[in-house]
Amino acid sequence: ELNMRSVFGVAIVAAALLISGTALAAKPHYTYVELGLQQVDLDEADFDSGTGWNIGGQWGNEVFHIFGQYAQFSNDFSYTYEIPTMPTRQSITVESGSLDTTQTRLGFGVHGLLGEKADLLGEAGYLYHKGDYGDGFDESSDGLFFGGGARWMVMDFLELKGMIYNYNLTDVDSLQSFDLDIIGYLGKFGIGGGYQYQNAKYDGADEYMNPGVFKLYVRYNLGPN
């Protein structure tokens, strides 16, 4: 199984080493294409951590940007029950399989206000989420999201980005995510890593859960913006 935590650590080191005299001007870039890997922890006892991939892109000018992303990932699961009449209360696996998930994310945003090296961001969009458990059983959820945060070119070749999103989805009582990314650039080419922490309460659940996603991606900047 791919150890995304180790890969994420390597990505941070690689990003910091991508120093070049041909690096882009020290301002955030808003037009690019991106391809990435991810490790997803659903924070549910019956589900293992899963891996997947995503592809996306963004177009922007000096004040406005639009973006889209498609992602797939899989988490193995096994449901168990305990036999109460046995002294050892032995757990027996009654079902196992793989949860295959797809997500499509589309949105737009505005940016600016902090000068050349940094921007405040406001974003809004639509998310469609589908999970397939096999044997003809699947479930889906969709809705709108809103978010805000900032991008900062710490150096000509190194960027930090932080975002907070709130989602209003069907079958979900409450969902927020907190995203942190670091990206290193060599000319128009970038290597990035990040982590997304979620605070989620699903319909009918008594407690909040905290899924997490480690991300590693490559980016290619397009155009002047």
mmCIF file of all heavy atoms in Angstrom, residues 103-137:
data_model
loop_
_atom_site.group_PDB
_atom_site.id
_atom_site.type_symbol
_atom_site.label_atom_id
_atom_site.label_comp_id
_atom_site.label_asym_id
_atom_site.label_seq_id
_atom_site.Cartn_x
_atom_site.Cartn_y
_atom_site.Cartn_z
ATOM 1 N N GLN A 103 -15.728 11.809 -6.977
ATOM 2 C CA GLN A 103 -16.153 13.158 -6.607
ATOM 3 C C GLN A 103 -15.884 14.109 -7.766
ATOM 4 O O GLN A 103 -14.815 14.070 -8.377
ATOM 5 C CB GLN A 103 -15.402 13.654 -5.370
ATOM 6 C CG GLN A 103 -15.781 12.949 -4.088
ATOM 7 C CD GLN A 103 -15.063 13.518 -2.875
ATOM 8 O OE1 GLN A 103 -14.061 14.229 -3.010
ATOM 9 N NE2 GLN A 103 -15.555 13.230 -1.688
ATOM 10 N N THR A 104 -16.871 14.956 -8.042
ATOM 11 C CA THR A 104 -16.718 16.008 -9.052
ATOM 12 C C THR A 104 -16.968 17.349 -8.379
ATOM 13 O O THR A 104 -17.963 17.522 -7.679
ATOM 14 C CB THR A 104 -17.716 15.819 -10.209
ATOM 15 O OG1 THR A 104 -17.508 14.529 -10.790
ATOM 16 C CG2 THR A 104 -17.523 16.892 -11.271
ATOM 17 N N ARG A 105 -16.057 18.288 -8.597
ATOM 18 C CA ARG A 105 -16.099 19.586 -7.912
ATOM 19 C C ARG A 105 -15.926 20.693 -8.941
ATOM 20 O O ARG A 105 -14.951 20.720 -9.691
ATOM 21 C CB ARG A 105 -14.971 19.625 -6.873
ATOM 22 C CG ARG A 105 -15.029 20.730 -5.851
ATOM 23 C CD ARG A 105 -14.022 20.410 -4.763
ATOM 24 N NE ARG A 105 -14.008 21.410 -3.706
ATOM 25 C CZ ARG A 105 -13.135 22.412 -3.633
ATOM 26 N NH1 ARG A 105 -12.201 22.535 -4.558
ATOM 27 N NH2 ARG A 105 -13.192 23.277 -2.646
ATOM 28 N N LEU A 106 -16.889 21.614 -8.982
ATOM 29 C CA LEU A 106 -16.845 22.756 -9.896
ATOM 30 C C LEU A 106 -17.109 24.026 -9.115
ATOM 31 O O LEU A 106 -17.948 24.043 -8.210
ATOM 32 C CB LEU A 106 -17.902 22.612 -11.003
ATOM 33 C CG LEU A 106 -17.808 21.370 -11.893
ATOM 34 C CD1 LEU A 106 -19.050 21.265 -12.771
ATOM 35 C CD2 LEU A 106 -16.554 21.407 -12.748
ATOM 36 N N GLY A 107 -16.394 25.115 -9.454
ATOM 37 C CA GLY A 107 -16.614 26.335 -8.696
ATOM 38 C C GLY A 107 -15.970 27.558 -9.312
ATOM 39 O O GLY A 107 -15.325 27.493 -10.364
ATOM 40 N N PHE A 108 -16.146 28.672 -8.627
ATOM 41 C CA PHE A 108 -15.567 29.938 -9.057
ATOM 42 C C PHE A 108 -15.160 30.724 -7.822
ATOM 43 O O PHE A 108 -15.569 30.406 -6.695
ATOM 44 C CB PHE A 108 -16.569 30.746 -9.886
ATOM 45 C CG PHE A 108 -17.766 31.215 -9.112
ATOM 46 C CD1 PHE A 108 -17.779 32.465 -8.516
ATOM 47 C CD2 PHE A 108 -18.873 30.394 -8.957
ATOM 48 C CE1 PHE A 108 -18.879 32.901 -7.789
ATOM 49 C CE2 PHE A 108 -19.978 30.820 -8.236
ATOM 50 C CZ PHE A 108 -19.985 32.080 -7.643
ATOM 51 N N GLY A 109 -14.325 31.756 -8.030
ATOM 52 C CA GLY A 109 -13.894 32.547 -6.900
ATOM 53 C C GLY A 109 -13.333 33.890 -7.302
ATOM 54 O O GLY A 109 -13.150 34.184 -8.486
ATOM 55 N N VAL A 110 -13.073 34.699 -6.299
ATOM 56 C CA VAL A 110 -12.426 35.994 -6.495
ATOM 57 C C VAL A 110 -11.188 36.038 -5.599
ATOM 58 O O VAL A 110 -11.104 35.329 -4.591
ATOM 59 C CB VAL A 110 -13.371 37.162 -6.160
ATOM 60 C CG1 VAL A 110 -14.523 37.228 -7.147
ATOM 61 C CG2 VAL A 110 -13.908 37.037 -4.730
ATOM 62 N N HIS A 111 -10.205 36.869 -5.984
ATOM 63 C CA HIS A 111 -8.960 36.931 -5.227
ATOM 64 C C HIS A 111 -8.341 38.314 -5.337
ATOM 65 O O HIS A 111 -8.620 39.071 -6.262
ATOM 66 C CB HIS A 111 -7.972 35.873 -5.733
ATOM 67 C CG HIS A 111 -7.724 35.935 -7.209
ATOM 68 N ND1 HIS A 111 -8.430 35.164 -8.106
ATOM 69 C CD2 HIS A 111 -6.864 36.685 -7.954
ATOM 70 C CE1 HIS A 111 -8.011 35.412 -9.323
ATOM 71 N NE2 HIS A 111 -7.054 36.340 -9.265
ATOM 72 N N GLY A 112 -7.489 38.635 -4.359
ATOM 73 C CA GLY A 112 -6.794 39.914 -4.376
ATOM 74 C C GLY A 112 -6.648 40.503 -2.980
ATOM 75 O O GLY A 112 -6.695 39.803 -1.978
ATOM 76 N N LEU A 113 -6.404 41.807 -2.927
ATOM 77 C CA LEU A 113 -6.421 42.665 -1.725
ATOM 78 C C LEU A 113 -5.132 42.695 -0.921
ATOM 79 O O LEU A 113 -4.931 43.621 -0.128
ATOM 80 C CB LEU A 113 -7.574 42.280 -0.786
ATOM 81 C CG LEU A 113 -8.995 42.398 -1.348
ATOM 82 C CD1 LEU A 113 -9.989 41.975 -0.284
ATOM 83 C CD2 LEU A 113 -9.276 43.809 -1.839
ATOM 84 N N LEU A 114 -4.235 41.720 -1.069
ATOM 85 C CA LEU A 114 -3.058 41.690 -0.205
ATOM 86 C C LEU A 114 -1.763 42.040 -0.936
ATOM 87 O O LEU A 114 -0.675 41.726 -0.449
ATOM 88 C CB LEU A 114 -2.918 40.304 0.447
ATOM 89 C CG LEU A 114 -4.032 39.902 1.418
ATOM 90 C CD1 LEU A 114 -3.746 38.548 2.030
ATOM 91 C CD2 LEU A 114 -4.219 40.952 2.511
ATOM 92 N N GLY A 115 -1.857 42.687 -2.088
ATOM 93 C CA GLY A 115 -0.647 43.065 -2.809
ATOM 94 C C GLY A 115 -0.187 42.002 -3.773
ATOM 95 O O GLY A 115 -0.907 41.056 -4.097
ATOM 96 N N GLU A 116 1.074 42.127 -4.231
ATOM 97 C CA GLU A 116 1.578 41.245 -5.283
ATOM 98 C C GLU A 116 1.894 39.846 -4.781
ATOM 99 O O GLU A 116 1.659 38.864 -5.479
ATOM 100 C CB GLU A 116 2.844 41.854 -5.907
ATOM 101 C CG GLU A 116 3.372 41.054 -7.091
ATOM 102 C CD GLU A 116 4.548 41.736 -7.754
ATOM 103 O OE1 GLU A 116 4.343 42.738 -8.448
ATOM 104 O OE2 GLU A 116 5.680 41.249 -7.557
ATOM 105 N N LYS A 117 2.407 39.695 -3.575
ATOM 106 C CA LYS A 117 2.893 38.409 -3.103
ATOM 107 C C LYS A 117 1.818 37.526 -2.468
ATOM 108 O O LYS A 117 2.064 36.343 -2.228
ATOM 109 C CB LYS A 117 4.031 38.606 -2.099
ATOM 110 C CG LYS A 117 5.303 39.192 -2.697
ATOM 111 C CD LYS A 117 6.381 39.325 -1.630
ATOM 112 C CE LYS A 117 7.671 39.855 -2.230
ATOM 113 N NZ LYS A 117 8.286 38.872 -3.158
ATOM 114 N N ALA A 118 0.648 38.062 -2.157
ATOM 115 C CA ALA A 118 -0.372 37.279 -1.461
ATOM 116 C C ALA A 118 -1.764 37.729 -1.873
ATOM 117 O O ALA A 118 -1.959 38.852 -2.327
ATOM 118 C CB ALA A 118 -0.206 37.405 0.048
ATOM 119 N N ASP A 119 -2.732 36.828 -1.722
ATOM 120 C CA ASP A 119 -4.131 37.114 -2.054
ATOM 121 C C ASP A 119 -5.049 36.515 -1.007
ATOM 122 O O ASP A 119 -4.817 35.402 -0.514
ATOM 123 C CB ASP A 119 -4.517 36.508 -3.414
ATOM 124 C CG ASP A 119 -3.945 37.270 -4.591
ATOM 125 O OD1 ASP A 119 -3.774 38.499 -4.478
ATOM 126 O OD2 ASP A 119 -3.671 36.630 -5.627
ATOM 127 N N LEU A 120 -6.119 37.236 -0.687
ATOM 128 C CA LEU A 120 -7.273 36.627 -0.026
ATOM 129 C C LEU A 120 -8.144 35.990 -1.095
ATOM 130 O O LEU A 120 -8.239 36.492 -2.218
ATOM 131 C CB LEU A 120 -8.070 37.681 0.735
ATOM 132 C CG LEU A 120 -7.416 38.293 1.966
ATOM 133 C CD1 LEU A 120 -8.326 39.354 2.569
ATOM 134 C CD2 LEU A 120 -7.090 37.219 3.008
ATOM 135 N N LEU A 121 -8.806 34.868 -0.740
ATOM 136 C CA LEU A 121 -9.659 34.151 -1.683
ATOM 137 C C LEU A 121 -11.044 33.946 -1.100
ATOM 138 O O LEU A 121 -11.194 33.647 0.090
ATOM 139 C CB LEU A 121 -9.081 32.771 -2.023
ATOM 140 C CG LEU A 121 -7.904 32.685 -2.985
ATOM 141 C CD1 LEU A 121 -6.602 33.034 -2.275
ATOM 142 C CD2 LEU A 121 -7.796 31.280 -3.566
ATOM 143 N N GLY A 122 -12.067 34.076 -1.954
ATOM 144 C CA GLY A 122 -13.418 33.665 -1.637
ATOM 145 C C GLY A 122 -13.913 32.764 -2.752
ATOM 146 O O GLY A 122 -13.751 33.109 -3.933
ATOM 147 N N GLU A 123 -14.458 31.585 -2.412
ATOM 148 C CA GLU A 123 -14.869 30.620 -3.433
ATOM 149 C C GLU A 123 -16.250 30.038 -3.130
ATOM 150 O O GLU A 123 -16.671 29.968 -1.966
ATOM 151 C CB GLU A 123 -13.855 29.482 -3.541
ATOM 152 C CG GLU A 123 -12.504 29.935 -4.068
ATOM 153 C CD GLU A 123 -11.519 28.799 -4.249
ATOM 154 O OE1 GLU A 123 -11.749 27.701 -3.687
ATOM 155 O OE2 GLU A 123 -10.516 29.004 -4.959
ATOM 156 N N ALA A 124 -16.934 29.612 -4.189
ATOM 157 C CA ALA A 124 -18.219 28.934 -4.071
ATOM 158 C C ALA A 124 -18.328 27.936 -5.212
ATOM 159 O O ALA A 124 -17.700 28.107 -6.269
ATOM 160 C CB ALA A 124 -19.380 29.927 -4.118
ATOM 161 N N GLY A 125 -19.123 26.875 -5.008
ATOM 162 C CA GLY A 125 -19.241 25.894 -6.076
ATOM 163 C C GLY A 125 -20.181 24.758 -5.737
ATOM 164 O O GLY A 125 -20.958 24.816 -4.774
ATOM 165 N N TYR A 126 -20.054 23.672 -6.530
ATOM 166 C CA TYR A 126 -20.938 22.506 -6.453
ATOM 167 C C TYR A 126 -20.092 21.245 -6.345
ATOM 168 O O TYR A 126 -19.077 21.095 -7.047
ATOM 169 C CB TYR A 126 -21.815 22.441 -7.705
ATOM 170 C CG TYR A 126 -22.617 21.165 -7.855
ATOM 171 C CD1 TYR A 126 -23.802 20.987 -7.152
ATOM 172 C CD2 TYR A 126 -22.186 20.150 -8.705
ATOM 173 C CE1 TYR A 126 -24.539 19.815 -7.288
ATOM 174 C CE2 TYR A 126 -22.925 18.982 -8.854
ATOM 175 C CZ TYR A 126 -24.096 18.826 -8.142
ATOM 176 O OH TYR A 126 -24.821 17.661 -8.267
ATOM 177 N N LEU A 127 -20.509 20.321 -5.465
ATOM 178 C CA LEU A 127 -19.828 19.045 -5.279
ATOM 179 C C LEU A 127 -20.814 17.906 -5.472
ATOM 180 O O LEU A 127 -21.908 17.910 -4.902
ATOM 181 C CB LEU A 127 -19.221 18.958 -3.874
ATOM 182 C CG LEU A 127 -18.591 17.609 -3.497
ATOM 183 C CD1 LEU A 127 -17.307 17.378 -4.285
ATOM 184 C CD2 LEU A 127 -18.307 17.535 -2.001
ATOM 185 N N TYR A 128 -20.412 16.908 -6.291
ATOM 186 C CA TYR A 128 -21.181 15.669 -6.442
ATOM 187 C C TYR A 128 -20.314 14.513 -5.953
ATOM 188 O O TYR A 128 -19.171 14.343 -6.400
ATOM 189 C CB TYR A 128 -21.586 15.438 -7.890
ATOM 190 C CG TYR A 128 -22.306 14.118 -8.097
ATOM 191 C CD1 TYR A 128 -23.633 13.974 -7.720
ATOM 192 C CD2 TYR A 128 -21.645 13.018 -8.653
ATOM 193 C CE1 TYR A 128 -24.294 12.761 -7.891
ATOM 194 C CE2 TYR A 128 -22.295 11.814 -8.839
ATOM 195 C CZ TYR A 128 -23.624 11.682 -8.456
ATOM 196 O OH TYR A 128 -24.275 10.483 -8.619
ATOM 197 N N HIS A 129 -20.848 13.726 -5.021
ATOM 198 C CA HIS A 129 -20.117 12.625 -4.377
ATOM 199 C C HIS A 129 -20.919 11.337 -4.565
ATOM 200 O O HIS A 129 -22.114 11.295 -4.279
ATOM 201 C CB HIS A 129 -19.948 12.945 -2.887
ATOM 202 C CG HIS A 129 -19.380 11.824 -2.074
ATOM 203 N ND1 HIS A 129 -18.079 11.810 -1.635
ATOM 204 C CD2 HIS A 129 -19.946 10.674 -1.604
ATOM 205 C CE1 HIS A 129 -17.863 10.715 -0.932
ATOM 206 N NE2 HIS A 129 -18.981 10.014 -0.893
ATOM 207 N N LYS A 130 -20.242 10.264 -5.035
ATOM 208 C CA LYS A 130 -20.913 8.968 -5.192
ATOM 209 C C LYS A 130 -20.027 7.865 -4.640
ATOM 210 O O LYS A 130 -18.825 7.810 -4.933
ATOM 211 C CB LYS A 130 -21.206 8.679 -6.664
ATOM 212 C CG LYS A 130 -21.940 7.351 -6.875
ATOM 213 C CD LYS A 130 -22.261 7.114 -8.340
ATOM 214 C CE LYS A 130 -22.993 5.785 -8.529
ATOM 215 N NZ LYS A 130 -23.290 5.527 -9.969
ATOM 216 N N GLY A 131 -20.605 6.983 -3.815
ATOM 217 C CA GLY A 131 -19.899 5.835 -3.263
ATOM 218 C C GLY A 131 -20.546 4.537 -3.715
ATOM 219 O O GLY A 131 -21.760 4.360 -3.560
ATOM 220 N N ASP A 132 -19.765 3.620 -4.270
ATOM 221 C CA ASP A 132 -20.249 2.341 -4.783
ATOM 222 C C ASP A 132 -19.692 1.215 -3.909
ATOM 223 O O ASP A 132 -18.479 1.012 -3.843
ATOM 224 C CB ASP A 132 -19.795 2.175 -6.235
ATOM 225 C CG ASP A 132 -20.365 0.924 -6.891
ATOM 226 O OD1 ASP A 132 -21.016 0.119 -6.184
ATOM 227 O OD2 ASP A 132 -20.154 0.730 -8.097
ATOM 228 N N TYR A 133 -20.580 0.475 -3.232
ATOM 229 C CA TYR A 133 -20.178 -0.614 -2.354
ATOM 230 C C TYR A 133 -20.149 -1.965 -3.052
ATOM 231 O O TYR A 133 -19.836 -2.983 -2.437
ATOM 232 C CB TYR A 133 -21.144 -0.710 -1.163
ATOM 233 C CG TYR A 133 -21.059 0.446 -0.204
ATOM 234 C CD1 TYR A 133 -21.754 1.626 -0.447
ATOM 235 C CD2 TYR A 133 -20.295 0.370 0.948
ATOM 236 C CE1 TYR A 133 -21.689 2.692 0.434
ATOM 237 C CE2 TYR A 133 -20.217 1.431 1.838
ATOM 238 C CZ TYR A 133 -20.920 2.592 1.565
ATOM 239 O OH TYR A 133 -20.849 3.650 2.437
ATOM 240 N N GLY A 134 -20.514 -2.016 -4.328
ATOM 241 C CA GLY A 134 -20.603 -3.273 -5.044
ATOM 242 C C GLY A 134 -21.952 -3.926 -4.873
ATOM 243 O O GLY A 134 -22.800 -3.489 -4.090
ATOM 244 N N ASP A 135 -22.198 -5.001 -5.629
ATOM 245 C CA ASP A 135 -23.462 -5.752 -5.580
ATOM 246 C C ASP A 135 -24.669 -4.857 -5.833
ATOM 247 O O ASP A 135 -25.751 -5.074 -5.281
ATOM 248 C CB ASP A 135 -23.631 -6.465 -4.231
ATOM 249 C CG ASP A 135 -22.554 -7.519 -3.997
ATOM 250 O OD1 ASP A 135 -22.119 -8.136 -4.992
ATOM 251 O OD2 ASP A 135 -22.152 -7.719 -2.845
ATOM 252 N N GLY A 136 -24.485 -3.822 -6.645
ATOM 253 C CA GLY A 136 -25.596 -2.959 -7.017
ATOM 254 C C GLY A 136 -25.995 -1.925 -5.983
ATOM 255 O O GLY A 136 -26.988 -1.217 -6.164
ATOM 256 N N PHE A 137 -25.237 -1.824 -4.886
ATOM 257 C CA PHE A 137 -25.588 -0.844 -3.850
ATOM 258 C C PHE A 137 -24.652 0.352 -3.924
ATOM 259 O O PHE A 137 -23.436 0.210 -3.853
ATOM 260 C CB PHE A 137 -25.497 -1.474 -2.461
ATOM 261 C CG PHE A 137 -25.755 -0.501 -1.354
ATOM 262 C CD1 PHE A 137 -27.026 0.026 -1.142
ATOM 263 C CD2 PHE A 137 -24.727 -0.080 -0.520
ATOM 264 C CE1 PHE A 137 -27.267 0.939 -0.128
ATOM 265 C CE2 PHE A 137 -24.953 0.825 0.498
ATOM 266 C CZ PHE A 137 -26.232 1.333 0.687
#
